Amino acid sequence: MVIIGIVGFQGDVSEHSDILQRLSREEGMEISVRLIRKKEDLEGIDGLIIPGGESTTIYKLLKQYSIYDLIKERIERGLPVMGTCAGVILLSRDTGDERVEGMGALDVRINRNAYGRQINSFIDEVEIKGLGRFKAVFIRAPVIESVENAEVLSEHEGNAIMVRSGNILGMTFHPELTQDIRIHKLFTDIIGGGGYSSTGT
Ligand code: GLN
């Protein structure tokens, strides 16, 4: 049984939860999903998802409920994390916006609103290393402007859109808004790869 937490303040929380439930049904995996809103919720989780939404809002609430630093610390200790869209902004080293402090878990520099406003949302087929073609949904997506110490798993028009650094996965699009479970499966494979113990020190 793996316990996967989803930062549960705002954004695509139920969509991530639904896709994890599907993954668990279709792949016969035992996944328990837990919404993370306070310190105690972090106890015993094996992996964490930071969903798409509004990074300034999610950031504010993580701070307000005093779990921003705790999450950052756990990531530094090896907790596997996946951030989608606003989530990858929060995981970045440089968000390009002083209103949101990145956790520095992914060595990337972000431009939050490079694609402009809502009107610039789009869907495109992209190629993901190890997974193949994937329908990527971009909604007011941030742009990853530079990548230092991370592996680029996918690019779109010359910019990285999906990166991995050890146990950390980040992407500027929303796999939770498709019916495609492959990216969540990749994340559970990373969790299953081990190395992190929620009870260890
Ligand atoms: N641009 C948004 C932000 O800065 C992210 C959009 C999204 O997650 N769909 O938070």
Side-chain angles (χ1 to χ4, degrees):
M1 160 77 76
V2 288
I3 306 175
I4 301 183
I6 304 174
V7 171
F9 294 121
Q10 189 266 340
D12 296 341
V13 179
S14 61
E15 288 81 354
H16 274 292
S17 173
D18 288 350
I19 206 161
L20 288 173
Q21 314 281 4
R22 273 194 50 215
L23 182 58
S24 137
R25 278 198 307 275
E26 288 173 24
E27 301 281 320
M29 301 173 69
E30 286 193 65
I31 300 174
S32 160
V33 176
R34 185 191 297 168
L35 300 193
I36 307 294
R37 297 198 183 105
K38 55 185 186 313
K39 191 175 157 196
E40 300 77 66
D41 299 335
L42 288 166
E43 288 319 311
I45 58 168
D46 302 297
L48 178 70
I49 291 177
I50 308 181
E54 182 55 44
S55 56
T56 48
T57 306
I58 298 174
Y59 173 69
K60 245 187 244 158
L61 291 164
L62 284 170
K63 282 286 193 183
Q64 198 171 314
Y65 286 82
S66 305
I67 54 173
Y68 180 91
D69 292 323
L70 287 174
I71 290 176
K72 191 170 169 208
E73 231 173 78
R74 275 168 200 251
I75 297 175
E76 281 159 12
R77 287 193 349 231
L79 175 69
V81 188
M82 173 162 91
T84 62
C85 205
V88 77
I89 298 175
L90 285 156
L91 289 173
S92 72
R93 169 180 45 81
D94 181 356
T95 69
D97 185 331
E98 60 190 20
R99 287 171 300 168
V100 188
E101 183 193 336
M103 294 183 183
L106 283 172
D107 199 358
V108 298
R109 181 163 51 82
I110 302 275
N111 182 345
R112 273 190 62 216
N113 289 309
Y115 288 116
R117 301 245 146 236
Q118 197 78 25
I119 195 158
N120 292 25
S121 300
F122 58 96
I123 299 178
D124 222 341
E125 275 243 323
V126 299
E127 180 74 26
I128 298 176
K129 247 193 224 174
L131 294 186
R133 308 293 292 167
F134 198 96
K135 198 190 270 181
V137 180
F138 296 88
I139 301 173
R140 288 184 304 110
V143 164
I144 297 176
E145 289 196 326
S146 71
V147 180
E148 299 298 329
N149 291 310
E151 183 190 5
V152 175
L153 295 182
S154 184
E155 286 182 334
H156 183 268
E157 291 176 355
N159 288 106
I161 55 168
M162 180 168 177
V163 295
R164 175 173 178 180
S165 178
N167 280 347
I168 303 161
L169 266 185
M171 66 224 75
T172 60
F173 54 95
H174 294 270
E176 72 279 13
L177 297 183
T178 66
Q179 295 302 308
D180 199 324
I181 58 176
R182 287 176 295 159
I183 289 182
H184 288 75
K185 170 82 170 61
L186 170 63
F187 183 53
T188 55
D189 288 346
I190 291 174
I191 295 173
Y196 178 75
S197 156
S198 55
T199 49
T201 49

